[in-house]
């Protein structure tokens, strides 16, 4: 959010029960608990989407002032979302 120019960031914890009827397997139901949602007011560009799809490809290695240049940035989200 910072290097994209966001001036606002909001987080929301959603503790509502989630549906489990369309999961890949019944054991995944245990992982449908609370969700942390993040929002910011920066514009998400096609290049941003491309870079997220290329995890660990060093898209910011030549931009020393960019957040996430050490490979952390958004990739840290996968630590919380991966089973």
């Amino acid at each position: 959010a910072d290097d994209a120019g966001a001036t606002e960031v909001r987080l929301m914890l959603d503790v509502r029960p989630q549906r489990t009827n369309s999961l890949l397997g019944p054991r995944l139901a245990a992982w449908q608990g609370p969700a942390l949602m993040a929002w910011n007011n920066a514009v998400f560009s096609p290049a941003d989407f491309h870079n997220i799809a290329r995890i660990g490809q060093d898209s910011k290695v030549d931009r020393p002032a960019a957040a996430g240049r050490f490979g952390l940035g958004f990739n840290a989200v996968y630590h919380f979302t991966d089973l």
Side-chain angles (χ1 to χ4, degrees), residues 12-35:
M12 182 179 84
L13 179 61
D14 181 1
V15 295
R16 297 175 294 178
Q18 304 297 316
R19 296 182 352 191
T20 59
N21 60 334
S22 64
L23 300 175
L24 294 175
R27 292 180 13 186
L28 292 175
W31 295 94
Q32 300 304 303

Side-chain angles (χ1 to χ4, degrees), residues 32-52:
Q32 300 304 303
L36 180 62
M37 294 184 256
W39 172 90
N40 68 64
N41 65 343
V43 176
F44 197 80
S45 72
D48 294 327
F49 180 79
H50 176 76
N51 289 334
I52 283 178

